[in-house]
Amino acid sequence: MTTDIITDGTTPIAFPVLPKLKPGTQLLPDGSAGAVTHWWSVRWPRIGGEALLPLPLDAFTSDAFKRTYAPGTLAYIYCAGCGEDHRQPTVKTGLLGVARRLFAAIHKVSVTTQVKLTDRLRELNKDHYGCVTVSADGYPCSDRGFDNWMFQHILPVGAPLEGSPVKVANKCLPVRLPRGLSKDEFEERLHMYMEDASLNAWLKTPEAQAHCKQIDRTPEEFTRGTAYGFGDSARWSEAKEFYFMRPKSDDADRLIRIAEVIIHDWVMNPASRDKLISYKSLGQGYVRELP
């Protein structure tokens, strides 16, 4: 049995080791709404790696941090899912359908600065975010159910560190970014820390090949993309914001800690501010023509 220390530094979490099961063993009864209905011999990646990223308990209350930190943009980290159609509840549609076919817990994790968070859902539904994939016979196609996005509760076991610019609110994590750190740069750094648990990235690994072989599917069937419309033209982009993430578990604590680490590093490490990893969007006029 192993333990990790939760974000507030005080609450240990024990993860029991399951007895060895035969691949394909049923874990949930027929008709269960859960995605992980059967056990397979795959070790799912976790956001932030196997251990929480370290920060001292006084990271945000120290005189050094308080002297340097200046509040800037208010951003919101959200976790979202989409799927089950009440008209066809037995059809595996949307991101929930992807999770059920893969037997994994998957959610969209991203950042917005829109004060009315539901406007972001309207945008995701309009774009059918993440619907583009590859059919079983190898052709690009569009999955159903990606126009039914909804926010998920983010329920950590612990709490943010004392004085943290990261809070826990209704279906989001409000984050007061330090002055000079843009929403886009913060989001790209968030992805950098979480990339190993990104669905599209994982699908390129030997572990994905082995798991998909066990369940008699191909990794390509689970890849996600989005076609963005711009008048009469369109841009196809990889939908990289899908992660192996359980928002009602200590994964939420890991998400909080990653956000705290990014902010603390930006404030306390001046060299970090000179290494921007964000990019200019192809859809905003920075290329001569859309691909």
Side-chain angles (χ1 to χ4, degrees), residues 91-135:
V91 179
K92 297 181 176 67
T93 60
L95 187 58
L96 178 59
V98 175
R100 285 176 172 172
R101 294 195 296 272
L102 191 61
F103 301 97
I106 305 170
H107 289 87
K108 181 185 188 296
V109 182
S110 192
V111 183
T112 184
T113 53
Q114 298 186 67
V115 176
K116 188 177 179 182
L117 295 182
T118 51
D119 281 346
R120 183 60 186 139
L121 291 181
R122 292 172 59 205
E123 294 173 351
L124 295 175
N125 290 336
K126 180 67 174 178
D127 288 329
H128 291 211
Y129 184 89
C131 73
V132 177
T133 188
V134 177
S135 66

Side-chain angles (χ1 to χ4, degrees), residues 13 36 66 75 100 124 170 225 244 270 287 291:
I13 293 296
V36 187
K66 291 192 289 187
R100 285 176 172 172
L124 295 175
N170 291 325
F244 295 96
V287 292

Side-chain angles (χ1 to χ4, degrees), residues 224-243:
R224 312 315 310 171
T226 305
Y228 294 98
F230 296 89
D232 294 330
S233 63
R235 168 172 62 87
W236 287 38
S237 296
E238 178 185 4
K240 66 181 184 181
E241 297 170 357
F242 295 123
Y243 299 93

